[in-house]
Amino acid sequence: MKDNSQYGNLGVSSDKKGVHKAIRTLDKGLFEGAFCRIFPDNLTGDVDYCLIAHADGVGTKASLGYLYWKVTGDISALANLAIDAIVMNLDDMICVGATGPFTFTQNIDRNSFTIPDEIIEAIIVKTNEVFIDLKKRHGIDITYSGGETADVNDLVRTLTLNASMQARMRRKDVIRTNILPGDVIVGLASFGKARYEQEYNSGIGSNGLTLARHSVFHPSYRELYPESYEEALGDKAYRGQYYVDGKLSIKPRATVGKLVLSPTRTYAPIVKAILSTVPRESIHAMIHCSGGGQTKCMGFGKKVHIVKDTLFPVPPVFSIIQDQSNETWQNMYKTFNMGHRFELYCDESTAAKIVAISKSFGVDAQIIGRVHSAANTCLTIRSVHGEFFYKK
């Protein structure tokens, strides 16, 4: 079925049906339905342990970082992509209860005519700074195991940043990700300023950036920086009213570019504290609301009706994207996290403890919905922007 969303018109799929079809015959791992694929520990042969391997990247956020750097000269817009590459892997892996130690491998493809060596150095330096900070302050142990930087000028206009992460853990500690009727849903806010963050986080993460970039930013960038987009998009590219260095008239008073480039927040310190406080068996599922946004949860649990009806207010960055793109609110919830990017499914007494732990880190949290029995798995979202129904 053709995707008629604004996101789909840009050639991007939020549900990745084609990818899921391609991998349908692959080994599902030890725990089918787990958030990450989990394999026997074939490195040591210890049957009490398992291995987790994960791969993800920053997507087209790299193109926006490039654009911001060209306009402002601020290299941190590109260096901070290291945070996104780490978190998009780490926060998927914590969903199955992995808390480390982890190993991390980084792969950068660049066009050496547009991306100089100092940008590659800035990304690598930032990667190590994040690891050191996570280990020192929060006990999240990540070892940088190297990677590759390839000059592929015929293939890439600017750069791509992808990564993989690995961990080993006890099988008995795995959280198998099984949403059950009767669960309440705790959402952890994606916006604001956590105690472990340096500045306000818009909450955008690293999903939906193609739609954000082309719907929000000014058409003049087509001519000024043709290397930053696919010319086949024509007038679908850069069709908004904002400049990347333009200031917002609403809070937070950051540039629009910085708002859309906010580094993806990690929930690893919070989840590690939760798992050291509440029994693992009391948590039925943890969902990283990345690709698929608020509909990501439908891939986990059978014959359940997930109802999200007490959501956080929509952060400004998503309202700007919706206004500029004219995307339907139903598709916005399918593309973006819209205010919370991490969910935990559990009973109400456990939920109260989780909320308190998250707030102690400066990250707002609340019960955002409940789970009911159903003939087929489906999702209802009720918000100030309407009621929306989704099915598998």
Side-chain angles (χ1 to χ4, degrees):
M1 182 179 294
K2 181 176 173 57
D3 183 351
N4 292 317
S5 69
Q6 296 293 333
Y7 201 36
N9 288 338
L10 292 168
V12 187
S13 170
S14 61
D15 55 30
K16 301 181 181 178
K17 286 183 178 178
V19 175
H20 292 306
K21 181 179 179 181
I23 64 173
R24 68 188 184 279
T25 60
L26 295 182
D27 180 8
K28 302 299 189 294
L30 289 173
F31 306 110
E32 185 173 354
F35 200 86
C36 296
R37 196 167 296 171
I38 303 169
F39 300 98
D41 180 7
N42 58 5
L43 296 179
T44 69
D46 191 332
V47 296
D48 292 328
Y49 280 79
C50 56
L51 301 177
I52 308 166
H54 194 269
D56 211 333
V58 307
T60 61
K61 201 168 190 176
S63 292
L64 180 56
Y66 172 82
L67 182 65
Y68 193 86
W69 167 64
K70 292 295 286 186
V71 172
T72 68
D74 183 358
I75 201 170
S76 71
L78 285 162
N80 282 343
L81 294 173
I83 300 172
D84 299 287
I86 294 164
V87 175
M88 292 301 286
N89 283 279
L90 177 61
D91 282 31
D92 272 6
M93 295 181 74
I94 62 177
C95 288
V96 296
T99 56
F102 301 95
T103 59
F104 178 84
T105 306
Q106 194 174 66
N107 294 282
I108 304 171
D109 291 335
R110 71 161 173 175
N111 187 310
S112 61
F113 295 119
T114 56
I115 302 296
D117 291 345
E118 54 262 35
I119 287 177
I120 303 303
E121 181 181 0
I123 291 171
I124 293 171
V125 168
K126 186 68 174 185
T127 299
N128 281 281
E129 286 177 354
V130 174
F131 291 163
I132 292 168
D133 184 62
L134 281 171
K135 184 173 183 178
K136 184 177 180 180
R137 293 201 292 158
H138 304 293
I140 308 295
D141 187 355
I142 308 175
T143 298
Y144 186 31
S145 59
E148 181 187 17
T149 299
D151 294 334
V152 285
N153 302 342
D154 292 321
L155 298 176
V156 213
R157 293 170 180 264
T158 55
L159 84 162
T160 66
L161 177 56
N162 296 300
S164 60
M165 193 171 281
Q166 304 80 33
R168 179 175 180 263
M169 65 183 294
R170 290 184 179 274
R171 293 192 191 192
K172 68 180 182 64
D173 291 335
V174 170
I175 294 173
R176 303 191 184 192
T177 321
N178 186 23
I179 296 171
L180 298 174
D183 284 343
V184 299
I185 313 166
V186 181
L188 308 187
S190 59
F191 61 97
K193 184 176 177 295
R195 291 202 169 90
Y196 49 83
E197 293 175 327
Q198 302 303 310
E199 57 187 0
Y200 173 86
N201 195 312
S202 73
I204 194 165
S206 291
N207 296 102
L209 267 295
T210 299
L211 178 61
R213 181 163 51 99
H214 289 310
S215 63
V216 170
F217 295 109
H218 199 269
S220 62
Y221 293 138
R222 293 181 210 155
E223 182 176 350
L224 289 169
Y225 307 107
E227 71 276 17
S228 72
Y229 76 102
E230 170 50 59
E231 292 177 357
L233 289 174
D235 60 7
K236 293 179 183 177
Y238 296 127
R239 59 186 189 270
Q241 71 180 58
Y242 292 97
Y243 295 93
V244 295
D245 55 349
K247 293 288 183 68
L248 287 169
S249 59
I250 57 173
K251 289 183 179 181
R253 302 193 188 284
T255 64
V256 184
K258 277 286 189 181
L259 198 70
V260 181
L261 278 167
S262 280
T264 307
R265 168 177 292 169
T266 180
Y267 297 94
I270 301 171
V271 170
K272 184 167 185 178
I274 290 169
L275 295 180
S276 67
T277 304
V278 306
R280 288 181 178 236
E281 59 269 21
S282 67
I283 300 173
H284 300 145
M286 293 191 285
I287 306 294
H288 185 201
C289 307
S290 49
Q294 286 304 313
T295 68
K296 182 91 172 186
C297 56
M298 288 198 299
F300 307 93
K302 297 177 181 178
K303 295 186 177 181
V304 290
H305 182 192
I306 302 166
V307 178
K308 301 180 183 181
D309 55 4
T310 317
L311 299 169
F312 290 99
V314 174
V317 68
F318 301 119
S319 296
I320 291 171
I321 294 168
Q322 193 280 330
D323 174 69
Q324 293 291 290
S325 68
N326 202 32
E327 180 64 279
T328 66
W329 284 106
Q330 178 151 8
N331 284 331
M332 287 293 293
Y333 283 100
K334 187 178 179 180
T335 303
F336 299 98
N337 70 72
M338 301 299 283
H340 76 268
R341 216 189 70 248
F342 206 85
E343 296 175 344
L344 299 96
Y345 291 73
C346 57
D347 60 57
E348 292 209 36
S349 62
T350 302
K353 296 173 185 175
I354 291 170
V355 168
I357 291 169
S358 184
K359 288 185 175 182
S360 74
F361 283 87
V363 174
D364 202 3
Q366 64 187 42
I367 293 177
I368 55 93
R370 297 175 183 272
V371 182
H372 308 280
S373 296
N376 298 290
T377 296
C378 56
L379 166 69
T380 296
I381 289 178
R382 297 191 186 107
S383 76
V384 295
H385 300 294
E387 180 171 323
F388 312 111
F389 180 76
Y390 310 82
K391 61 181 180 179
K392 293 180 71 173

